[in-house]
Amino acid sequence: MNDQALLELCHTLLDLARKAGADHAEAAAAWQRSSETHIENGSVHTVQSGEEAMYGLRVLVGSSQGFVTANDLEPALLAERAAEAVAQARINP
Amino acid sequence: MSEALDLLCDIAARESGFVELRYHAKTSRSVGVDKGKVERSQARHRKGVGVRVFEGGGWGFASTGSLDPDSIRRAVHAARAGAVASAQRSSHPFTALPACALARGVFDQPGLADMAGRTLEEKIGMATSLEARVRAASSAIRSASCSYNEIFEEKAIVTTDGAAAAFRLVRPELRVSAVAEKDGQLSTGNEAVGATGGWDCLFHSATGEALAERAAKVAQDLLSARHAEGGRTTVILAPSIVGLLVHEAIGHTVEADFVQAGSVAAGKIGQRVASDLVTLCDSGVSEHYTGAGGTIPVDDEGVMAGRTTIIRDGILVSYLHNRESAARYGVEPTGNARAWEYSDQPLIRMRNTYLAPGTRSLEEIIADTKDGYLLDGPRNGQADATGEFMFGVQEAWRIRDGKKTELLRGVTLSGIAFDVLQSVDAVSSDFRWDLGAGYCGKGQPAKVDAGGPYIRCRALLGGEQ
């Protein structure tokens, strides 16, 4: 994912949060690719790599807060995550 | 769920050599209430596929957070490249994993429908109400907290040599803490439960209300408790302390990777390491009753996670293995390969570790103890590869002339674990899982449980300041 795609993801999350009933929302997203090699006693112990996009969504309903992080980017799930954050905020006394 | 299994089977069918594909979706929810206020309510959803390739004697691992088949194939390619690079500089004595029995099928665990049917409102309500109950228990209570966590997991594990298994499970946890104060002196009471299953498993031994009241009572009672004298003495350990002992001080020393690194258990298979009253096991199954917090039907290499007897009647009979270590030792894998999330490589980890119950009652054991202590509730502690350990203890009762007498505070328990097990001279018929709220740390967390009966043994007690 490039910077533009991450920005679009954040905007989508903010829109979904508002639609779900959030008064305020904050979204952050990151994409990372990692690689790691670990040598132990002259022998290769670990060779590993990974890639992942991750996002966090914080919402406020009144003064109550809800927070969700996830790495699933399917549109239906983004809406579900936004609704979950808002539901949390509504339940928090 | 079967979609993930089908997808991985389809990808594995097109690969050559040894490839292991693991889909892992995890949802964690957490609620924390402190001093009457909900301080935390959050959720985390993470899923993806971890891929291991073993080629030419080397391992490679790669992961992707995407379930797109092309992304998974790229991860296979990256893992294969890692394996080839690793093989050039690795000391593996074999170039292929020996065949073994591998799991096929779907192995969902109980409690999923129960937990999915409970609302967030109910969980926050429970945590709020229990925290309030602790504060209301006594005027001596200065603060209280309650946290509720749950983890839903879905896994599918497919290997090119025959594993094709999937399962779902849920692990709820509840913690209640109380702080009491009198004349400037503070004491705390902590109660925690964790299970694999629904609320019937979580509250198998006590209700949430009972846990809250107990945390408050312990904190209050400890305010007036004296310190113990300390010294080498006779102790009766409750299942909670037995669990901590067998996990931290014994279990880690028999993990085959630690054995290879030179733990105290190295070279001791077939030797007496404990009294003949001691039989110690680690199991993916919740033995004795359902709901143990470290339960897994299948490990992350696709091996069925049954029971492994580590010590039988005092004799060390097995280490805990993954497929590779089992091949090195010429034994069958024990189903102990576990990964915390999809992007973690499976390591040798414990599951539910316990000392098997005996035949005596706790009352009998106390009655024939002239001078000693009954210890319950682990507070903290540490153990190392030599089996040397030191644990904090929440409650210690003095035993004099066969009677449980006054409560003592600030007690620590230490010793060499295998020496302590050699001194076991009584084992009760009770059994309790009591570490289900705990996490084991070994580079990555793992949900585990541990427990056992009451045992009587000799150890070093730390006391008076």
Side-chain angles (χ1 to χ4, degrees):
Chain A
M1 287 182 90
N2 58 28
D3 291 352
Q4 189 57 37
L6 291 172
L7 267 176
E8 281 170 18
L9 172 60
C10 288
H11 284 301
T12 302
L13 287 165
L14 294 179
D15 286 345
L16 290 167
R18 277 191 216 102
K19 280 181 191 154
D23 296 324
H24 301 280
E26 167 190 278
W31 179 84
Q32 66 168 23
R33 175 182 285 160
S34 63
S35 66
E36 178 186 334
T37 303
H38 178 68
I39 312 282
E40 198 170 288
N41 298 326
S43 179
V44 175
H45 188 261
T46 305
V47 177
Q48 70 177 59
S49 61
E51 58 179 48
E52 177 181 50
M54 194 91 194
Y55 59 86
L57 176 66
R58 186 194 310 272
V59 303
L60 283 176
V61 176
S63 59
S64 293
Q65 180 176 287
F67 184 59
V68 172
T69 63
N71 74 342
D72 38 29
L73 303 175
E74 296 92 324
L77 288 177
L78 294 181
E80 208 174 286
R81 304 307 175 222
E84 183 176 16
V86 169
Q88 276 181 23
R90 285 195 170 129
I91 294 165
N92 289 347
Chain B
M1 186 63 199
S2 60
E3 259 178 52
L5 189 57
D6 291 345
L7 172 65
L8 299 192
C9 285
D10 187 47
I11 291 171
R14 294 157 200 258
E15 295 295 334
S16 59
F18 178 83
V19 178
E20 174 190 281
L21 300 157
R22 173 170 42 89
Y23 165 77
H24 190 176
K26 190 177 217 175
T27 291
S28 314
R29 292 194 180 85
S30 165
V31 173
V33 181
D34 248 323
K35 298 177 186 169
K37 190 163 183 285
V38 178
E39 293 286 354
R40 184 182 71 256
S41 171
Q42 58 192 39
R44 182 172 187 267
H45 305 267
R46 195 161 182 251
K47 66 183 179 187
V49 176
V51 180
R52 287 201 309 174
V53 171
F54 189 64
E55 191 157 307
W59 285 103
F61 177 80
S63 64
T64 172
S66 167
L67 303 185
D68 174 62
D70 287 340
S71 296
I72 299 170
R73 286 191 194 99
R74 277 200 301 277
V76 174
H77 183 74
R80 195 180 296 283
V84 170
S86 169
Q88 294 164 7
R89 288 180 179 275
S90 95
S91 58
H92 291 291
F94 44 83
T95 54
L97 289 175
C100 65
L102 292 166
R104 294 185 73 82
V106 176
F107 303 90
D108 284 352
Q109 298 296 291
L112 290 159
D114 172 33
M115 295 304 297
R118 293 184 187 275
T119 62
L120 180 61
E121 200 162 10
E122 182 182 5
K123 293 158 191 171
I124 291 178
M126 175 183 69
T128 306
S129 139
L130 294 180
E131 190 272 348
R133 197 175 188 110
V134 174
R135 278 186 290 116
S138 156
S139 58
I141 301 297
R142 290 292 171 267
S143 72
S145 65
C146 180
S147 64
Y148 171 80
N149 303 318
E150 63 186 21
I151 301 172
F152 283 86
E153 292 187 86
E154 292 185 13
K155 282 189 181 182
I157 300 130
V158 172
T159 65
T160 47
D161 65 348
F167 64 87
R168 295 178 298 166
L169 56 76
V170 59
R171 302 193 205 275
E173 305 161 12
L174 180 75
R175 293 182 179 76
V176 190
S177 299
V179 179
E181 188 266 343
K182 185 182 171 189
D183 301 331
Q185 180 160 305
L186 297 173
S187 61
T188 60
N190 299 295
E191 294 296 318
V193 287
T196 307
W199 277 20
D200 56 332
C201 294
L202 184 66
F203 299 118
H204 173 272
S205 299
T207 62
E209 289 76 15
L211 292 167
E213 281 163 17
R214 182 162 158 67
K217 183 174 189 312
V218 168
Q220 192 182 3
D221 290 352
L222 285 173
L223 282 175
S224 50
R226 291 185 302 108
H227 283 87
E229 288 166 21
R232 184 165 293 282
T233 185
T234 297
V235 288
I236 298 171
L237 308 182
S240 58
I241 307 278
V242 171
L244 191 62
L245 180 74
V246 299
H247 175 94
E248 293 292 354
I250 302 288
H252 281 301
T253 72
V254 297
E255 291 169 334
D257 50 349
F258 277 7
V259 174
Q260 277 176 248
S263 84
V264 67
K268 291 203 169 134
I269 292 286
Q271 293 183 21
R272 174 163 296 283
V273 294
S275 118
D276 59 8
L277 296 176
V278 173
T279 289
L280 198 155
C281 305
D282 179 78
S283 182
V285 178
S286 182
E287 312 279 348
H288 300 286
Y289 61 89
T290 57
T295 302
I296 50 168
V298 178
D299 82 354
D300 288 329
E301 293 183 328
V303 175
M304 290 300 290
R307 179 177 59 200
T308 303
T309 302
I310 298 165
I311 297 172
R312 180 181 294 120
D313 302 330
I315 308 296
L316 184 67
V317 294
S318 180
Y319 300 133
L320 302 176
H321 290 287
N322 60 13
R323 291 187 67 182
E324 183 189 343
S325 75
R328 283 178 185 267
Y329 284 84
V331 298
E332 287 297 308
T334 55
N336 285 86
R338 301 181 66 187
W340 177 239
E341 293 193 337
Y342 79 87
S343 55
D344 294 313
Q345 293 199 58
L347 302 176
I348 299 173
R349 310 302 297 267
M350 281 170 269
R351 303 154 306 180
N352 303 311
T353 314
Y354 65 95
L355 203 143
T359 55
R360 302 188 65 186
S361 72
L362 173 62
E363 293 72 26
E364 266 175 36
I365 298 172
I366 291 174
D368 80 356
T369 302
K370 185 167 173 51
D371 183 26
Y373 297 82
L374 171 63
L375 309 181
D376 197 1
R379 273 251 151 107
N380 48 47
Q382 59 187 46
D384 63 26
T386 66
E388 190 174 334
F389 69 91
M390 196 281 285
F391 303 143
V393 173
Q394 179 161 275
E395 296 166 281
W397 286 274
R398 193 80 170 90
I399 296 174
R400 285 197 180 92
D401 297 323
K403 290 194 170 50
K404 183 176 152 185
T405 61
E406 78 267 35
L407 177 67
L408 302 164
R409 64 182 294 165
V411 168
T412 62
L413 178 74
S414 55
I416 308 287
F418 285 105
D419 292 350
V420 170
L421 290 191
Q422 291 272 17
S423 73
V424 171
D425 68 355
V427 179
S428 84
S429 56
D430 313 70
F431 184 92
R432 198 165 75 232
W433 292 115
D434 219 346
L435 220 64
Y439 289 77
C440 172
K442 186 178 169 184
Q444 48 181 275
K447 277 303 296 178
V448 296
D449 210 334
Y454 290 87
I455 65 170
R456 185 173 61 194
C457 53
R458 299 275 296 171
L460 190 62
L461 209 70
E464 241 164 5
Q465 294 173 321

